[in-house]
Amino acid sequence: MPDTETKNNLASLPLDDGLLRASDLTRQGFSRGQIMRLTQQGELLHVGRGLYSRPDTTVTENHTLARVCARVPQGVICLASALQFHQLTTQNPWQVWLLIENHARAPQMPYPPLRILRAGGEAFREGVEEHQIEGVTVRVTNVAKTVADCFKYRNKIGIASALEALKEALWERRTDRATLHQFARLCRVERVMQPYLEALSL
C-alpha cells in the first residue's frame, strides 16, 4: 500500500488531470521512487514513455491525440488527424499526422504511429487552435487551414479526401469562402482550389 504522504499527494491531484507527464508529477512533489511504487500498486497507470494517468481517468475518443501532444507539445495535429478531429471525414487514420517546425527533432514514439510533416514561418504558426483533451493542450489546425493543407498535400492524402473535406466544411458552414481563400493563399494552393470552389457555388 502507498504510504500516507504519497496517498495524500495522489488524492490532491484533480480527477480530470487526464494524462500526466513525469515532470508534472515531480512538480506535484512525487519522487521517481514514489511514481514507480504507485505504478506497481495500480494507483497510477503507465500509458507511454514518461506518461501516466489515474485509473479513474476518462479516456476520450481523442486520447491518441492527447498522448502525442503530451510528448510533443509544440507539434500541431494536421491533415487526416485534423479532419477526423473536426469530423470532416468518414475515414479513420491509423497514424497521427503531426506538423512540426522545419528544424525540430522528429519525435520517436512506439505508439501511436506518427506521420510527420514539416513547415516553417506562417505555414506552421497560422490557423492553429488549442483544445484541452484529457488535461493536455492539443494544437490542431483549424477547419480552413486543414482543408487548404489537404489540397497542398493532396499527393499524400489524396484529392478525394481534400474534396470531401471542402464540401463538408462549406455545406456544414464550418468555415466561409473568404477564410478558405486566406489559407489557400497561405498554402499556395489558390489556383488548385479555385475550380472546386467555383463548382461548389453553382
Side-chain angles (χ1 to χ4, degrees):
M1 294 293 292
D3 59 74
T4 302
E5 182 182 356
T6 302
K7 198 160 188 176
N8 288 340
N9 286 348
L10 187 64
S12 71
L13 293 175
L15 288 176
D16 60 353
D17 253 349
L19 290 174
L20 297 162
R21 302 180 188 89
S23 57
D24 297 329
L25 291 166
T26 301
R27 280 194 297 272
Q28 292 282 345
F30 293 93
S31 67
R32 287 188 178 184
Q34 287 175 319
I35 294 171
M36 183 178 297
R37 286 195 297 276
L38 287 168
T39 303
Q40 292 170 343
Q41 293 156 356
E43 300 284 338
L44 282 175
L45 300 178
H46 184 216
V47 297
R49 184 179 176 184
L51 290 178
Y52 300 84
S53 71
R54 294 183 58 170
D56 49 8
T57 295
T58 300
V59 175
T60 69
E61 62 181 340
N62 293 310
H63 175 74
T64 55
L65 304 187
R67 284 185 66 166
V68 170
C69 290
R71 287 285 307 280
V72 194
Q74 298 307 311
V76 179
I77 303 299
C78 65
L79 290 169
S81 296
L83 289 178
Q84 184 185 39
F85 178 82
H86 292 301
Q87 299 181 340
L88 292 174
T89 182
T90 56
Q91 299 181 32
N92 185 21
W94 62 275
Q95 298 169 303
V96 174
W97 292 65
L98 188 71
L99 187 67
I100 62 174
E101 289 194 273
N102 281 329
H103 302 296
R105 178 180 295 180
Q108 301 294 321
M109 291 182 67
Y111 181 84
L114 301 179
R115 182 73 180 269
I116 301 294
L117 292 97
R118 294 178 180 272
E122 290 185 338
F124 179 77
R125 295 191 305 269
E126 296 297 318
V128 177
E129 303 174 342
E130 292 188 352
H131 299 266
Q132 292 298 313
I133 302 174
E134 299 181 27
V136 176
T137 299
V138 174
R139 290 155 48 84
V140 187
T141 54
N142 67 24
V143 168
K145 175 67 157 49
T146 301
V147 171
D149 275 345
C150 286
F151 280 91
K152 180 178 180 179
Y153 295 102
R154 59 195 179 279
N155 291 336
K156 296 182 183 294
I157 199 168
I159 191 65
S161 294
L163 286 172
E164 178 187 25
L166 177 62
K167 291 176 183 177
E168 290 295 319
L170 287 174
W171 289 348
E172 295 183 8
R173 299 184 179 180
R174 305 286 300 282
T175 188
D176 55 51
R177 291 174 183 273
T179 308
L180 283 168
H181 279 293
Q182 173 192 341
F183 284 102
R185 284 193 298 273
L186 178 67
C187 294
R188 300 179 181 179
V189 289
E190 274 188 293
R191 299 176 77 176
V192 175
M193 290 180 63
Q194 188 59 36
Y196 299 108
L197 284 165
E198 290 175 355
L200 289 173
S201 67
L202 298 177

